[in-house]
Amino acid sequence: MTTDSPTPDTGAELLPIATPARTRAALRTLIRPDRGLALTGIGILVAATAVGLLVQPLLGRIVDIVADGRPAGDLTLPVVLLVAVAVVQGLTTTLGLTRIARLGETVLARLRERFVERALNLPADRLERAGAGDLTARVTGDVARVAEAVRSALPEMARSVLAILLTLGALALLDVRFLLAALLAVPVQLLTARWYVRRALTLYADQRVANGAQQQQLLETIGGAVTVRGHRLEEQHTERSAGRSRKAVDLTMRSVNLVLGFYGRLHIAEYIGLAAVLIAGFWLVRDGAVSIGTATAAALYFHSLFGPVNAALVLLDDAQSAAAGLARLVGVTDLAEQPEPEAGKPQAGKAEAGKAEAAKPTAGKPEAGQATPASVPRQRIASSEAAVAVHEVSHAYGPGRPVLHEVSLTLEPGEHVALVGTSGAGKSTLARIVAGVQQPTSGTVTASAGPGSASAGAGEHPVVLVTQEVHVFTGTLAEDLRLARPDATDADLRTALATVHALDWAEALPDGLATVVGEGGHRLDPARAQQLALARLVLADPALAVLDEATAEAGSAGARVLERSAEAALAGRTALVVAHRLTQAVAADRVVVLEAGRVVESGPHDELRDADGPYAALWRAWSGSRTTAPHP
């Protein structure tokens, strides 16, 4: 179960936060595979702590020997035992903490993997509503908080709790009255912990949200710097950034004051407990109930509690911060979980936006790079084609925000359909739904490969989506291409690049396919980055391809080159193309026109152009803005 995040003054609908009960359940699930490691580590720490508790009685024994005026030789055995205790405790503590640390790192790695996997599968519109800042804050700040707690707080907390429990037991063995005296500090400590926890969890959650809002504002300001300067909005954006920074700083200072108050109350508890143990020791020694050495051991036992008690309570600070971060991470993993498909119910094909998923070679399918050139009519290859049926699909991004209204559409095997319409008509939403990236509010999408196709087998991804926002991954050009098909040879990569007319510039790079691209590497302009994405599509060789304005980033000079690249990449497969330029509609087998989320026209370009309907109006407006209208 999750709850909605507090929404800052950004207008964003932040990703949800898991409830405490759900967070604990998720943590148990993460630890369950390593229960043996956890039990072994805790057992070794119990043994180490038990051995360490022999120090106080041995020191008390030394005090009794000195107080009784015994020979110096009587000190030999206690001193040797003290050395042995130190060695054994040191070795066992190291071994136990190592196992606990290994457990923590394993669980943390599992959490990271699950978070990244689920975050990649979040619906695109959900991420858009939350904003990049919220997800960025979770994947950086929250993961860092949890990692810090796992590496430092978890081992120390385990050792501290064990030391507290065993030390209190040792006090009771000396004399139960020492234990009762020591317990006078407990009410103050419990009240302090309760006072702190009730304030800290909410405060740290608010702090994480404020940091996310701050990052979102910075991302928007820096990312849109050109627009900000162009509209003279520098002062407004600076004030917004400053306002959100002030809110984050204010919450940070409140947390500092909370911690200071927490420490002050702990010191009071220490004073009460130590005074009570010393007074009890005085009375017991005076009455002859215990020796001076025993009273000394009791005082040392309680004094030794200062460290673990304070550490355990102080670690509540890290624990609460980590718990807040963990709840935000679990909120994302829960949000991304999708129910299992019901038997017999049609489902939309699945794909990753901007990333081609490798598919197995299909019998009878042409090798990558042998696709029909754009100037030659496409050949239909039944074994590699996919049929797509969209049945009464509706979608809304929120109450009162419908985008699609009962859209029904069929793509025949091997057919290329261009989706056109004015901005906001719902084209990209429909494309994402067909690709399986976005789940519709209602309705179904069935994407299935034709007879004999292996690309629609169980567990495969027969759909690849390419959008206008293409990411060039950091690494060599060959590594970037192999994201689509890890087993591809260099010859396969060159063939895919040649198919999309990108081989010439790829081989002209400083190190060819070994050239490092992406962040910090060789910069690819938008047109080349898009060709790289299309080459990945060719390598993945899906039965169905969805292009969402994949040529929009190219300028006028590169538009035709990208269009030729896209046509070559789509040859021989079923395709849905959100047309940024109507030349793509001209080349398509069929044009589907969307208006306000509804299909208003469907048919070949020539037929719709002559029908004097919505498409004809779009065509006149588009071709009239060009010096020479393109020929069908």
Side-chain angles (χ1 to χ4, degrees):
M1 180 179 179
T2 58
T3 58
D4 291 335
S5 299
T7 302
D9 55 353
T10 61
E13 181 185 335
L14 299 185
L15 297 168
I17 298 175
T19 62
R22 175 63 195 125
T23 302
R24 290 191 295 270
L27 187 58
R28 287 193 296 270
T29 301
L30 290 169
I31 294 175
R32 189 173 295 121
D34 297 292
R35 284 176 296 181
L37 183 60
L39 293 175
T40 303
I42 293 174
I44 295 174
L45 283 180
V46 169
T49 305
V51 170
L53 292 177
L54 296 175
V55 171
Q56 289 82 357
L58 288 172
L59 290 176
R61 180 63 176 168
I62 291 173
V63 170
D64 282 339
I65 291 172
V66 173
D68 294 343
R70 298 178 189 179
D74 291 352
L75 295 173
T76 302
L77 180 59
V79 170
V80 171
L81 289 176
L82 281 173
V83 173
V85 165
V87 172
V88 173
Q89 185 186 26
L91 292 175
T92 52
T93 299
T94 299
L95 181 59
L97 290 178
T98 299
R99 289 184 174 274
I100 294 296
R102 183 182 300 169
L103 170 68
E105 290 294 339
T106 302
V107 171
L108 179 62
R110 191 173 293 124
L111 174 64
R112 280 201 191 102
E113 291 168 2
R114 184 169 299 182
F115 178 84
V116 171
E117 176 188 357
R118 300 290 172 76
L120 287 174
N121 288 320
L122 283 176
D125 66 296
R126 189 66 183 87
L127 289 177
E128 290 171 1
R129 295 201 305 272
D134 187 33
L135 188 62
T136 300
R138 297 189 191 216
V139 81
T140 54
D142 291 323
V143 169
R145 292 277 183 172
V146 175
E148 182 181 356
V150 164
R151 290 168 183 154
S152 58
L154 177 62
E156 187 62 30
M157 177 68 83
R159 185 171 63 171
S160 297
V161 170
L162 291 173
I164 292 168
L165 295 176
L166 294 179
T167 301
L168 291 176
L171 276 172
L173 289 176
L174 292 178
D175 193 294
V176 71
R177 285 167 286 190
F178 285 125
L179 175 60
L180 295 175
L183 291 178
L184 291 177
V186 172
V188 178
Q189 292 168 336
L190 291 179
L191 288 173
T192 298
R194 183 171 180 269
W195 171 84
Y196 174 78
V197 169
R198 291 178 63 181
R199 289 162 175 78
L201 189 58
T202 302
L203 179 58
Y204 283 123
D206 291 343
Q207 192 175 0
R208 299 271 70 77
V209 171
N211 288 339
Q214 182 187 31
Q215 289 193 33
Q216 176 68 28
Q217 183 60 48
L218 290 175
L219 287 172
E220 290 179 352
T221 300
I222 295 173
V226 174
T227 303
V228 169
R229 287 195 298 267
H231 291 274
R232 301 294 188 268
L233 298 175
E234 295 93 339
E235 184 175 347
Q236 295 179 25
H237 276 259
T238 300
E239 181 56 34
R240 289 178 186 173
S241 299
R244 286 167 190 161
S245 296
R246 283 193 297 269
K247 184 173 182 179
V249 170
D250 177 64
L251 288 170
T252 300
M253 293 308 301
R254 283 174 57 190
S255 67
V256 169
N257 291 331
L258 182 65
V259 171
L260 292 176
F262 178 66
Y263 282 127
R265 287 167 170 79
L266 289 184
H267 293 326
I268 295 174
E270 291 175 2
Y271 173 80
I272 293 173
L274 184 57
V277 170
L278 290 175
I279 293 171
F282 172 76
W283 284 341
L284 293 173
V285 170
R286 186 188 63 178
D287 295 341
V290 299
S291 68
I292 295 176
T294 301
T296 301
L300 290 174
Y301 269 137
F302 186 80
H303 188 272
S304 70
L305 283 175
F306 286 6
V309 168
N310 287 348
L313 293 177
V314 167
L315 285 173
L316 285 174
D317 181 65
D318 292 334
Q320 293 304 311
S321 180
L326 183 60
R328 285 161 55 81
L329 297 177
V330 173
V332 172
T333 62
D334 283 354
L335 180 66
E337 289 179 346
Q338 299 294 337
E340 291 295 326
E342 298 177 6
K345 182 178 180 180
Q347 297 293 324
K350 295 181 180 179
E352 288 187 41
K355 177 180 177 182
E357 187 72 30
K360 295 179 181 179
T362 301
K365 185 180 292 186
E367 294 295 328
Q370 295 178 353
T372 308
S375 57
V376 180
R378 292 185 296 275
Q379 298 178 358
R380 305 301 181 199
I381 304 173
S383 62
S384 67
E385 296 163 353
V388 181
V390 179
H391 181 64
E392 295 185 353
V393 162
S394 298
H395 188 71
Y397 288 116
R401 297 172 57 194
V403 178
L404 297 176
H405 304 272
E406 298 184 347
V407 173
S408 293
L409 175 66
T410 300
L411 276 71
E412 298 296 333
E415 184 181 24
H416 287 193
V417 174
L419 203 57
V420 302
T422 57
S423 178
K427 304 185 298 297
S428 293
T429 300
L430 181 58
R432 289 200 296 260
I433 289 174
V434 170
V437 174
Q438 179 71 54
Q439 294 299 316
T441 304
S442 63
T444 58
V445 178
T446 302
S448 58
S453 174
S455 60
E460 300 291 341
H461 294 264
V463 188
V464 168
L465 170 67
V466 180
T467 70
Q468 65 181 16
E469 298 174 356
V470 175
H471 182 72
V472 178
F473 295 88
T474 300
T476 66
L477 183 65
E479 291 171 342
D480 199 304
L481 288 166
R482 286 194 176 97
L483 290 171
R485 204 174 90 204
D487 61 347
T489 65
D490 284 353
D492 293 330
L493 304 185
R494 290 189 174 88
T495 301
L497 289 168
T499 300
V500 297
H501 312 290
L503 184 59
D504 289 343
W505 64 256
E507 291 187 330
L509 293 174
D511 297 311
L513 293 178
T515 302
V516 175
V517 295
E519 188 70 27
H522 186 89
R523 182 181 178 277
L524 299 182
D525 61 41
R528 290 183 174 181
Q530 197 64 257
Q531 285 182 308
L532 181 60
L534 292 171
R536 288 201 293 257
L537 185 151
V538 172
L539 285 167
D541 202 11
L544 169 64
V546 179
L547 269 58
D548 184 7
E549 297 190 349
T551 63
E553 292 297 321
S556 299
R560 184 52 188 159
V561 172
L562 265 189
E563 288 174 7
R564 289 177 60 240
S565 298
E567 289 176 15
L570 297 179
R573 60 183 105 250
T574 308
L576 178 66
V577 179
V578 177
H580 177 70
R581 295 176 176 84
L582 291 189
T583 49
Q584 295 171 291
V586 174
D589 301 314
R590 182 159 51 100
V591 179
V592 173
V593 184
L594 280 183
E595 272 192 6
R598 292 182 171 85
V599 175
V600 294
E601 277 189 311
S602 177
H605 161 77
D606 291 339
E607 178 182 315
L608 297 184
R609 183 194 56 189
D610 298 335
D612 200 27
Y615 180 77
L618 288 173
W619 176 259
R620 287 193 297 269
W622 183 79
S623 59
S625 64
R626 301 166 61 86
T627 304
T628 304
H631 296 289

